DNA sequence: CAAATATACTTAACACTGTTAAGTTTCCAA
DNA sequence: TTGGAAACTTAACAGTGTTAAGTATATTTG
């Protein structure tokens, strides 16, 4: 009989509407203001109902974190069109920074907050979302090394270095550490620093 | 009469013992567990007494953040012995990473957490601690540019780039994003990436 | 068809958090 | 000795994540 299946579907609907509400609160009010109670209020259920569909708050944040990676991956798709691996890495950097600037909350959840990572530790799972994205970078770095565009010894270490450079620029900016510069310059520092970054990369691009 | 002066001194003593207790809790239990009540318990005063000596929690965290910068500055002192500006920058990087690894909580407070920065926004002050440290980097970058060690257009942008690179490596590591690598490699990734970083710097060191 | 059970959801509560207003104690000066 | 200022505490507010227990509702079973 299809009753159980109908119920299954109904459960899925509520699970998804919880996630939708969580996303709305998260994007409107930010990480700190995303509480179980505020999500519950949005879907007009009691706070405890949420625990029947998600193990805890971290599970919800992990789901949102995964959404962020899907969004980033979609932005990265255009990079397949770039033939030259060094140019592809440069373009990746532009996409990455643009993503961090346009979706600072998603970015924070994906690369800074500890909450979503707790879920992995509990379930002894691997960080698929992060690994897939990093694989994309590694692929291009590998090509660059083979073609003499980059002087790294180790693909993973080199990829991590490039990633960290962009992450550092975005994170310091997001966390207000650009205050080491005057206000005018603060606003454009990420773009300025990225320009210097490209300069360094080009020094090897023969 | 010296009574008022004695009282002044006593107030200062309590203010400092609050900060000491805050530091102890912070270093023992971490940022999240550093609550007003836990600090109060340590000094055996009521939680509200703390508000007679510090405006709010952010003010205490800012004070701890400043301590962190003092500690970092002391570790940076040895760099004055390094004559060559590029070598000095490399050594700065080593000191910076070592500091981040040995004092992850201080590092987080100084460069990641938003809390200490709120104090600046409220009081319309400048970030002296950050600026002083950044000035040290800018000085060496300027020298490197003059002597042809680094190809930057802009001293501040170049300095920010170098800072961001190290910060990114430390922050991604601290926030568990090294999980893109296998466990074995995760542990040494910062050192490995730093080695690649030095390689890139050396490419200009003629 | 009625009783028992399983499902879905809510209420109330616990143990916390930062912060403030009001009340109490302590101490010093007039 | 009394008045008042200063130092400190109590109680409370409004919020947090989370859990145990209770309540309807719907489904299955006798």
């Amino acid at each position: 009989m299809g009753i159980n299946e109908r119920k299954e579907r109904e459960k899925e609907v509520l699970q998804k509407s919880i996630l939708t509400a969580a996303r709305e609160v998260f994007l409107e009010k930010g990480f700190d203001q995303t509480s179980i109670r505020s999500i519950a209020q949005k879907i007009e259920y009691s706070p405890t109902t949420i625990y029947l569909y998600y193990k805890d708050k971290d599970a919800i944040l992990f789901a949102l974190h995964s959404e962020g990676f899907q969004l980033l991956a979609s932005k990265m798709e255009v990079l397949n069109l770039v033939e030259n691996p060094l140019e592809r890495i440069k373009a990746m950097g532009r996409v990455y920074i643009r993503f961090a600037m346009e979706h600072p909350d998603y970015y924070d959840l994906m690369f800074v907050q500890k909450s979503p990572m707790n879920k992995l530790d509990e379930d002894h799972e691997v960080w698929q979302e992060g690994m897939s994205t990093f694989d994309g970078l590694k692929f291009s770095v590998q090509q660059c090394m083979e073609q003499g565009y980059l002087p790294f010894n180790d693909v993973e270490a080199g990829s991590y270095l490039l990633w960290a450079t962009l992450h550092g620029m975005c994170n310091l900016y997001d966390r207000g550490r650009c205050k080491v510069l005057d206000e005018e310059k603060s606003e454009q520092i990420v773009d300025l620093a990225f320009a210097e970054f490209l300069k360094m990369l080009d020094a090897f691009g023969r």
Side-chain angles (χ1 to χ4, degrees), chain A:
Chain A
M1 52 195 63
I3 291 180
N4 285 330
E5 283 145 28
R6 192 207 68 211
K7 289 206 162 186
E8 276 289 312
R9 284 200 307 275
E10 283 175 357
K11 286 209 73 169
E12 269 179 43
V13 166
L14 186 45
Q15 175 150 29
K16 279 181 183 167
S17 84
I18 289 171
L19 194 58
T20 300
R23 177 173 48 251
E24 284 172 11
V25 174
F26 177 73
L27 294 177
E28 280 169 27
K29 317 259 182 180
F31 179 84
D32 291 333
Q33 298 300 315
T34 305
S35 68
I36 296 286
R37 283 173 174 83
S38 64
I39 297 167
Q41 194 172 19
K42 200 138 210 166
I43 54 171
E44 293 177 301
Y45 278 79
S46 89
T48 51
T49 300
I50 291 175
Y51 287 88
L52 302 170
Y53 294 86
Y54 288 93
K55 198 210 153 205
D56 54 19
K57 193 183 173 183
D58 287 342
I60 299 175
L61 292 173
F62 183 85
L64 288 178
H65 134 287
S66 301
E67 283 189 3
F69 270 96
Q70 260 196 287
L71 185 58
L72 177 59
S74 76
K75 308 265 185 191
M76 289 283 186
E77 270 174 21
V78 292
L79 300 173
N80 296 325
L81 301 171
V82 185
E83 290 284 329
N84 180 285
L86 189 64
E87 290 304 317
R88 201 186 310 126
I89 283 181
K90 291 183 195 170
M92 263 182 102
R94 271 183 283 267
V95 170
Y96 189 91
I97 288 176
R98 193 187 173 108
F99 177 84
M101 294 302 185
E102 287 180 351
H103 310 283
D105 293 301
Y106 267 128
Y107 185 87
D108 214 51
L109 208 49
M110 294 157 69
F111 298 113
V112 186
Q113 292 295 339
K114 286 183 175 169
S115 316
M117 290 295 157
N118 294 341
K119 215 221 150 220
L120 295 182
D121 295 342
E122 282 171 16
D123 304 0
H124 306 286
E125 276 176 38
V126 293
W127 190 31
Q128 257 311 322
E129 293 81 358
M131 285 170 76
S132 302
T133 312
F134 192 62
D135 278 347
L137 176 58
K138 276 197 295 186
F139 175 75
S140 295
V141 169
Q142 174 82 53
Q143 281 191 327
C144 280
M145 284 167 63
E146 283 164 4
Q147 297 176 32
Y149 287 116
L150 287 173
F152 298 138
N153 281 322
D154 183 290
V155 187
E156 293 188 318
S159 301
Y160 185 81
L161 175 65
L162 298 183
W163 176 27
T165 304
L166 299 182
H167 170 71
M169 298 187 336
C170 296
N171 184 245
L172 287 174
Y173 179 83
D174 181 59
R175 299 309 175 100
R177 264 60 181 189
C178 291
K179 286 203 168 76
V180 294
L181 306 162
D182 53 73
E183 210 178 322
E184 185 186 16
K185 197 146 199 175
S186 291
E187 284 163 29
Q188 40 179 0
I189 190 62
V190 174
D191 284 332
L192 292 174
F194 183 67
E196 306 285 7
F197 174 70
L198 295 182
K199 227 178 158 67
M200 294 219 66
L201 290 187
D202 274 325
F204 298 95
R206 62 188 47 150

